[in-house]
Amino acid sequence: MPLHCINTLPPNRTMPNSLFADIPDELPNELMETLAEGSGCRVERIVSRGHRSPERFWYDQEESEWVLVVKGEARLLIERAGETEEVAMTAGDWIDLPAHTRHRVEWTAPDEETIWLAVFHP
Amino acid sequence: MPLHCINTLPPNRTMPNSLFADIPDELPNELMETLAEGSGCRVERIVSRGHRSPERFWYDQEESEWVLVVKGEARLLIERAGETEEVAMTAGDWIDLPAHTRHRVEWTAPDEETIWLAVFHP
């Protein structure tokens, strides 16, 4: 009786996308890409490598931003109730920034990518 | 002249939340938590440890679901154009499932947590 190979895999295999793929060697600016978008909701990947917000620049956004550090390290400055707070973030850390919460990226790791996953929502 | 300690940290430090925190030792069922919610958009953490969808159960959702594996490993089955596809996912992998894309969780790693980040969107 001949041996035969039994393929236990389904015939159709789909490759998922990866947040760790397609990162250029050179990143003169942060890389921002929209991964999904529905009415009032947008998922973005942001890749930083030592980038920080320009001096005296603060984000002040119309949308709320839920943001996760998937890989790397970063420090945000956030204004809340007139006070400036620092938030140090590493892989797995997330924060939800309500619309018009003034914030800036104070530091990102210089020697590796920091990969952010941002969900902008109403 | 007395030595004094110079604190270079801002006075207010905020701890971010972590996707890796607050996972119970026992997980009789998958753990699902809403982390952020805006009109028409919801961010959830899902923690699996060997969980899979019940036999013959398929998700068929009103909302689209963008889903990322943050940690661990999983296999999804997805129906598309009448065909069943398998998608093997590991950390960093993501897929966007349009509303009413029938899918099921076929397998998750039995010996570690698989942490999913799901964004349900219109």
Side-chain angles (χ1 to χ4, degrees), chain B residues 1-32:
Chain B
M1 191 174 133
L3 281 173
H4 56 273
C5 180
I6 297 171
N7 186 352
T8 58
L9 296 173
N12 298 298
R13 291 176 66 81
T14 299
M15 291 296 291
N17 307 281
S18 174
L19 289 185
F20 301 142
D22 303 320
I23 298 176
D25 290 339
E26 301 290 326
L27 278 181
N29 299 302
E30 281 187 326
L31 181 68
M32 298 186 184

Side-chain angles (χ1 to χ4, degrees), chain A residues 22-112:
Chain A
D22 303 319
I23 298 175
D25 290 338
E26 302 290 326
L27 278 180
N29 298 301
E30 281 187 326
L31 181 67
M32 299 186 183
E33 294 153 290
T34 298
L35 306 180
E37 199 159 15
S39 54
C41 186
R42 192 171 71 259
V43 179
E44 281 190 11
R45 176 179 79 162
I46 304 166
V47 183
S48 317
R49 195 188 289 133
H51 299 88
R52 48 177 294 180
S53 303
E55 286 298 324
R56 288 185 290 278
F57 174 86
W58 292 82
Y59 289 98
D60 183 348
Q61 301 169 154
E62 298 291 322
E63 300 163 295
S64 297
E65 180 179 355
W66 183 94
V67 67
L68 165 73
V69 171
V70 178
K71 173 182 181 289
E73 275 189 273
R75 290 198 304 268
L76 296 183
L77 285 185
I78 299 174
E79 274 189 11
R80 272 200 273 227
E83 304 274 330
T84 302
E85 303 168 24
E86 185 182 82
V87 185
M89 300 179 74
T90 185
D93 288 344
W94 62 270
I95 194 163
D96 197 25
L97 300 165
H100 297 297
T101 302
R102 280 163 50 92
H103 63 282
R104 48 179 281 119
V105 179
E106 194 63 13
W107 178 87
T108 58
D111 45 8
E112 62 170 329

Side-chain angles (χ1 to χ4, degrees), chain B residues 35-78:
Chain B
L35 306 180
E37 199 160 15
S39 55
C41 186
R42 192 171 73 261
V43 180
E44 283 190 12
R45 176 179 79 163
I46 304 167
V47 183
S48 317
R49 196 188 290 133
H51 299 88
R52 48 178 292 181
S53 303
E55 286 297 323
R56 287 184 292 277
F57 173 86
W58 291 81
Y59 290 97
D60 184 348
Q61 301 169 152
E62 298 292 321
E63 299 162 297
S64 297
E65 180 179 355
W66 184 94
V67 66
L68 165 73
V69 170
V70 178
K71 173 182 180 292
E73 275 189 273
R75 290 198 304 269
L76 297 182
L77 284 185
I78 299 174

